[in-house]
Amino acid sequence: MRDDDPIESLAAMRHEFGEYGGVNMSIETSTTFTVMRASTLPAIFQGTHGPEGGCYLYGRHFNPTVHALGRQLAALEGAEAAYCTASGMSAISAVLLQLCDCGDRIVASDTIYGGTFALLKEFLPAKSGIDVTFVDTSDPVAVEAALNERTRVLYVETMSNPMLRVADIPRLAAMAHARGARLVVDNTFCPLIVSPIRLGADVVVHSLTKFVNGASDAIAGAVCGSTEFVLSLMDLHKGALMLLGPTMDPRVANEISLRLPHLGLRMAEHGRRALVFASRLRDRGLTVIYPGLPGHPDHELLRRLGHEQYGYGGVFSVDVGSSQKASELMEVLQNRDRFGFMAVSLGYFETLMTSPASTTSSEMSDEELRAARIPPGLVRISVGYTGSLEQRWRQLEDALAIVGLGIRAGQPAGGRQ
Ligand SMILES: *Cc1c(COP(=O)(O)O)cnc(C)c1O
């Protein structure tokens, strides 16, 4: 485990005061900004004056409130710079379009978020001629074989969905860099738990929609990286964020910035509850996938790369044997017990449950599901922190009994092993 704590970098960042000395920053909603001298405008267009010097131009370019949230996220991720976007998908697509031209190659993990998979599998190759190869990024031989001289990006998620494999970021960074490619990491599942840039990644992308915002009331994203890279995305003539325009509203930036101070408390509690539920379900003989459990193939890797105080993540998966059992269990948990909601997404204060084979990974064919080793009876649970832990556990135990999975410790499970 690493002993540096990313929350300290966030707290050490210069505090943003409000316009009248308020303890919170002000929200700047203006979409255009004045200058005192006419000569300043051309200087902003040429890029010699910018937000660091207090020169703002237009709301699709830098906005002071969005920029302040970007500075906070950069501190949290240990990046030189960051900027925020209207969604996680827009952050991902802008980064890939900025780094790759027609004919360039992206080597991507074969178990990634469904939207990213669809973007890489069909959309980008068809629209832009970018060549994408999917590999099992847990297999260094496969990664090495896929990298070639046209490879610009090696793309992984810190923790894959729904099998929760952990990327060996230092090793993947070294492999990418040896070929002159950049390692881009989607850290949506692991804010504070893993700091990919501190481990050698070049760019981190986030869906802030999930744990970072934590209230399932805003769609938002971010890109963290070098100052040079973030400025290139915002370049008035050549920047993917500037030209495609997935702009974050400053009101949303303000709301998300007010939730960063308690992100550490939230991640620790999501992780604490996920570990208790995962261990108890495993002890009852069910097949549980959670990197906090010693039996998970990446348990040791996450112990080595992660910050222990934030746990092993708020998401675990349990295989209940068939998609029908998965549906029955989720219906009882939602409609009888109010244990949580059947809904996609994750990182909410309430528990969210999905059956990945039929929802978030539905972009994948049966063959691709098999290749990604996603069992049909898998239920993915993003553990919330409302109610007490024991109250929630009793609800889970009762629901398992109702659907015929009320297995006592030591007995073999009905689900596949
Ligand atoms: C949700 C999610 C995204 C997409 O983010 P949006 O904010 O919905 O655009 C990307 N990657 C991962 C891992 C996600 O969970």
Side-chain angles (χ1 to χ4, degrees):
M1 281 286 173
R2 301 169 60 84
D3 51 15
D4 51 328
D5 188 338
I7 207 93
E8 293 181 2
S9 318
L10 178 64
M13 223 208 59
R14 193 178 64 79
H15 196 83
E16 311 277 344
F17 292 108
E19 203 177 345
Y20 301 100
V23 293
N24 291 313
M25 68 178 177
S26 305
I27 309 174
E28 177 54 75
T29 57
S30 302
T31 55
T32 189
F33 298 83
T34 60
V35 291
M36 297 310 282
R37 301 201 173 280
S39 61
T40 309
L41 273 181
I44 298 176
F45 271 96
Q46 283 150 23
T48 56
H49 283 45
E52 298 302 345
C55 290
Y56 290 91
L57 178 70
Y58 180 63
R60 177 160 39 77
H61 197 232
F62 290 102
N63 164 282
T65 313
V66 179
H67 194 230
L69 176 62
R71 283 197 294 278
Q72 292 164 24
L73 291 169
L76 195 137
E77 284 291 355
E80 254 176 31
Y83 206 67
C84 302
T85 59
S87 66
M89 281 312 298
S90 61
I92 293 164
S93 52
V95 163
L96 296 177
L97 286 170
Q98 194 70 30
L99 291 174
C100 300
D101 293 328
C102 178
D104 287 343
R105 169 176 278 208
I106 296 171
V107 174
S109 161
D110 61 5
T111 41
I112 48 176
Y113 178 69
T116 312
F117 182 77
L119 177 78
L120 289 173
K121 179 101 193 342
E122 301 286 347
F123 194 90
L124 273 188
K127 302 285 181 189
S128 67
I130 295 170
D131 161 43
V132 183
T133 305
F134 295 97
V135 292
D136 174 0
T137 44
S138 300
D139 176 359
V141 178
V143 175
E144 195 60 59
L147 294 169
N148 67 13
E149 68 287 350
R150 294 296 293 165
T151 308
R152 295 285 168 272
V153 170
L154 177 56
Y155 186 92
V156 296
E157 293 174 359
T158 314
M159 200 180 274
S160 75
N161 172 32
M163 303 306 279
L164 310 176
R165 293 301 307 260
V166 177
D168 188 345
I169 294 165
R171 181 175 201 163
L172 293 167
M175 291 171 81
H177 296 161
R179 297 297 194 115
R182 312 229 195 162
L183 179 64
V184 178
V185 180
D186 179 336
N187 201 30
T188 301
F189 273 54
C190 296
L192 291 173
I193 298 170
V194 178
S195 304
I197 288 180
R198 292 182 175 92
L199 295 170
D202 300 283
V203 178
V204 160
V205 287
H206 268 287
S207 168
L208 303 177
T209 313
K210 316 294 168 56
F211 289 105
V212 173
N213 183 53
S216 290
D217 66 338
I219 300 284
V223 180
C224 311
S226 67
T227 303
E228 186 194 2
F229 181 62
V230 172
L231 287 176
S232 78
L233 286 166
M234 300 301 286
D235 186 286
L236 289 166
H237 311 287
K238 289 184 283 190
L241 284 181
M242 185 61 194
L243 299 178
L244 298 174
T247 309
M248 175 182 275
D249 188 290
R251 299 161 186 87
V252 171
N254 178 65
E255 295 222 349
I256 294 176
S257 81
L258 291 174
R259 293 163 192 184
L260 287 187
H262 47 70
L263 179 62
L265 299 173
R266 291 187 280 117
M267 292 312 294
E269 185 62 8
H270 282 297
R272 184 177 79 92
R273 293 187 180 210
L275 181 59
V276 169
F277 291 166
S279 315
R280 291 182 185 177
L281 290 172
R282 178 209 50 195
D283 291 347
R284 271 155 210 255
L286 287 162
T287 301
V288 180
I289 295 153
Y290 185 60
L293 297 178
H296 188 280
D298 297 323
H299 178 65
E300 285 308 319
L301 178 63
L302 186 53
R303 282 179 60 85
R304 180 155 57 80
L305 302 186
H307 301 282
E308 186 171 28
Q309 59 273 40
Y310 301 109
Y312 300 95
V315 178
F316 72 86
S317 300
V318 53
D319 185 359
V320 297
S322 69
S323 60
Q324 175 163 1
K325 270 273 181 272
S327 304
E328 284 174 26
L329 178 66
M330 291 189 297
E331 282 176 15
V332 172
L333 282 169
Q334 173 181 283
N335 301 333
R336 178 183 176 276
D337 293 327
R338 306 281 182 266
F339 172 84
F341 297 114
M342 275 184 280
V344 295
S345 197
L346 53 120
Y348 185 33
F349 50 73
E350 297 287 356
T351 294
L352 298 178
M353 306 171 287
T354 56
S355 162
S358 52
T359 55
T360 47
S361 299
S362 62
E363 289 86 352
M364 300 166 86
S365 65
D366 281 356
E367 202 171 300
E368 285 161 346
L369 280 172
R370 261 195 301 281
R373 294 166 297 277
I374 299 175
L378 207 65
V379 178
R380 185 190 78 185
I381 301 185
S382 170
V383 181
Y385 48 78
T386 59
S388 79
L389 192 157
E390 294 305 334
Q391 171 194 25
R392 296 304 186 193
W393 172 248
R394 282 194 304 275
Q395 293 173 335
L396 191 49
E397 259 192 330
D398 287 353
L400 286 168
I402 288 170
V403 302
L405 288 166
I407 305 141
R408 298 248 68 89
Q411 285 186 342
R416 68 171 80 173
Q417 292 298 300

